[in-house]
Amino acid sequence: MESTGIQNHLSSFFKWIVICLLTGILSGLASALFLFLLEWATSYRENNYWIISLLPVGGLMIGLLYYYYGKEAVKGNNLILEEYDNPKKTIPFIMAPLVLAGTIITHLFGGSAGREGTAVQMGGALSDQFTHLFKLQPEERKTILIIGISAGFASIFGTPLAGALFALEVLYFSKIRINSIVPSFMTAYIAYYTVELLPVKHTHYSIPFVPELTAMNLFWIVPAGILFGLAAMLFSRTTHFWGRLFSKYIPYPPLRPFAGGIILAIIIFSSHTTKFIGLGIPAIVDSFQNQSNNFDFLLKILFTGFTLGAGFKGGEVTPLFFVGATLGSALSGLIPLPVALLAGMGFVAVFSGATHTPVACSIMGMELFGVDCGIYVALACLVAYFCSGSVGIYHSQIVKGPKHIVYQKIRRKDLKDL
């Protein structure tokens, strides 16, 4: 009996080693391919401005692909969250190529979107294929979904610690199995190093000076964090608003991104700028060096919310980085903290508020900008987390933890639903 138990434990141990290796490597390769194609699409669009006129055609292509081949996959990250909470059936493999193609089309023709959603969906779809291959139990499948998220996140942003924690924290609404923690970290690092070994580079940001932690400097984090939280709330609700509006007035799904593409193309050509489409990396980098315009963050919210709400594909996180970094940079005219520090705080704090993941976002800030800014970043993430409302970018995410407790107490006092 004892010998059988040891054999079972060893078998399980090696099984998960293999699953983590395969998931990490495959997700890393998928993210590397995605980053390469994304760079090509962005470069081609910037050098061929006319292609934005084809944005409605690109939208129609995405709409038709998902309507005829990916009716389940159209839920995106929300499908992964739903399957974790209430497992029913394996995430379709077709989600990976569909979201890859859809996101590249979105960026090539001029939509405003990110990349995290794409990487996470590819990681989740790839990892969940091992459920049947290894004949996993329902509880083990939860771990599979966690490592898929961690692999995708870590490999696309080059932040393995944040990737592993994000996967665990974003799924906080259900009890996290202790057995999921080690696989999450292991897979995140495997995926990260897979990309690092390939000729694909991540964007680097820098906070050259971090001021001394004085009482006054700590005080200024609070109003900044509140504004970051409100920006996160506005971003989430704007995206959901446009999604509901398009669904209400355009019953045939493929026509939603087509109609949205027409409107977007007109706006882009009328504004004579590509600053607010695509990822917006140049504007994010510039915000760490120069004070941003006061309304840059708001325009990015509007462009991204409309793009994703219309049915184009891509993630929300890089646009959230844009919103946070440019808002923080603009606040440097009012708040006596260095522009780079405020941009870095906003970069991760708005993300924290929109995804309800303050721990992962605090760690991400330290991974990207260095540990010296840790206190500033962590406090900004925490304040934004509590001030961003109960609705995030993932409508299937069930909010638990400290925010849930605080908001429930507020509601019991008959205050308006946050």
Side-chain angles (χ1 to χ4, degrees):
M1 290 292 290
E2 185 177 345
S3 175
T4 303
I6 293 174
Q7 288 179 351
N8 289 338
H9 282 299
L10 285 174
S11 175
S12 177
F13 174 77
F14 286 113
K15 175 183 72 177
W16 281 104
I17 291 290
V18 171
I19 291 173
C20 290
L21 276 170
L22 290 173
T23 300
I25 292 171
L26 290 174
S27 295
L29 291 174
S31 289
L33 173 63
F34 175 46
L35 288 169
F36 171 79
L37 292 174
L38 193 55
E39 184 177 355
W40 168 81
T42 302
S43 176
Y44 189 88
R45 185 193 68 235
E46 291 299 309
N47 292 317
N48 297 274
Y49 190 63
W50 60 268
I51 203 172
I52 296 172
S53 63
L54 298 179
L55 189 56
V57 178
L60 183 62
M61 290 168 58
I62 294 170
L64 290 171
L65 280 172
Y66 272 85
Y67 187 72
Y68 288 105
Y69 300 103
K71 291 190 177 181
E72 282 296 319
V74 75
K75 293 181 179 180
N77 287 354
N78 288 297
L79 178 60
I80 299 175
L81 297 176
E82 289 171 9
E83 283 298 319
Y84 183 90
D85 184 46
N86 184 25
K88 291 181 179 178
K89 55 184 178 180
T90 304
I91 292 172
F93 175 77
I94 199 171
M95 174 185 273
L98 275 181
V99 74
L100 175 62
T103 306
I104 296 302
I105 291 172
T106 296
H107 283 276
L108 177 64
F109 294 115
S112 175
R115 53 193 174 183
E116 145 276 338
T118 306
V120 166
Q121 288 172 52
M122 289 193 297
L126 291 169
S127 66
D128 208 17
Q129 305 312 305
F130 298 124
T131 297
H132 292 307
L133 183 62
F134 289 91
K135 299 178 180 178
L136 301 180
Q137 299 300 313
E139 283 302 309
E140 291 180 305
R141 185 166 176 244
K142 292 193 173 189
T143 301
I144 276 284
L145 295 176
I146 286 173
I147 67 174
I149 295 173
S150 68
F153 193 100
S155 57
I156 205 69
F157 291 124
T159 53
L161 279 175
L165 288 169
F166 177 79
L168 295 166
E169 195 173 12
V170 78
L171 296 169
Y172 186 86
F173 57 84
S174 289
K175 183 179 180 181
I176 294 295
R177 299 169 70 242
I178 299 298
N179 294 346
S180 300
I181 297 175
V182 173
S184 182
F185 279 89
M186 183 185 300
T187 311
Y189 273 96
I190 293 169
Y192 164 73
Y193 282 114
T194 298
V195 175
E196 287 294 297
L197 293 173
L198 297 171
V200 179
K201 301 300 178 185
H202 296 101
T203 307
H204 294 283
Y205 307 94
S206 173
I207 299 178
F209 171 69
V210 178
E212 182 182 355
L213 278 170
T214 64
M216 185 55 66
N217 285 343
L218 289 174
F219 164 78
W220 283 113
I221 298 174
V222 177
I226 292 172
L227 291 175
F228 294 146
L230 293 176
M233 181 193 295
L234 180 61
F235 184 100
S236 301
R237 299 198 175 192
T238 298
T239 303
H240 298 324
F241 167 78
W242 287 117
R244 290 192 300 270
L245 198 68
F246 274 97
S247 298
K248 180 179 179 180
Y249 290 105
I250 306 179
Y252 185 54
L255 288 181
R256 295 169 193 164
F258 176 75
I262 294 174
I263 297 170
L264 271 175
I266 292 172
I267 293 173
I268 294 167
F269 282 121
S270 300
S271 64
H272 303 291
T273 180
T274 59
K275 183 176 183 178
F276 304 104
I277 64 176
L279 293 172
I281 296 294
I284 298 175
V285 172
D286 183 67
S287 70
F288 279 77
Q289 302 165 0
N290 305 295
Q291 184 178 339
S292 298
N293 295 325
N294 292 338
F295 297 105
D296 280 358
F297 80 97
L298 188 58
L299 289 170
K300 187 62 173 177
I301 289 175
L302 293 174
F303 269 86
T304 306
F306 189 86
T307 297
L308 298 178
F312 286 90
K313 297 303 167 185
E316 299 91 347
V317 173
T318 304
L320 285 168
F321 292 162
F322 183 114
V323 170
T326 54
L327 174 57
S329 181
L331 288 175
S332 65
L334 298 173
I335 295 177
L337 290 174
V339 61
L341 178 60
L342 281 165
M345 289 162 56
F347 186 103
V348 288
V350 174
F351 176 30
S352 167
T355 58
H356 313 296
T357 56
V359 176
C361 292
S362 299
I363 296 300
M364 186 179 200
M366 287 182 266
E367 280 189 287
L368 290 173
F369 314 129
V371 295
D372 291 346
C373 65
I375 298 297
Y376 288 97
V377 164
L379 289 177
C381 286
L382 190 63
V383 175
Y385 162 71
F386 279 109
C387 296
S388 60
S390 58
V391 179
I393 55 175
Y394 309 130
H395 60 75
S396 292
Q397 183 183 21
I398 302 171
V399 183
K400 294 293 183 182
K403 175 187 277 192
H404 175 73
I405 295 171
V406 171
Y407 278 37
Q408 285 299 104
K409 288 183 177 179
I410 291 174
R411 286 170 182 154
R412 277 197 288 270
K413 292 178 181 179
D414 295 324
L415 295 184
K416 186 178 178 181
D417 184 6
L418 295 172

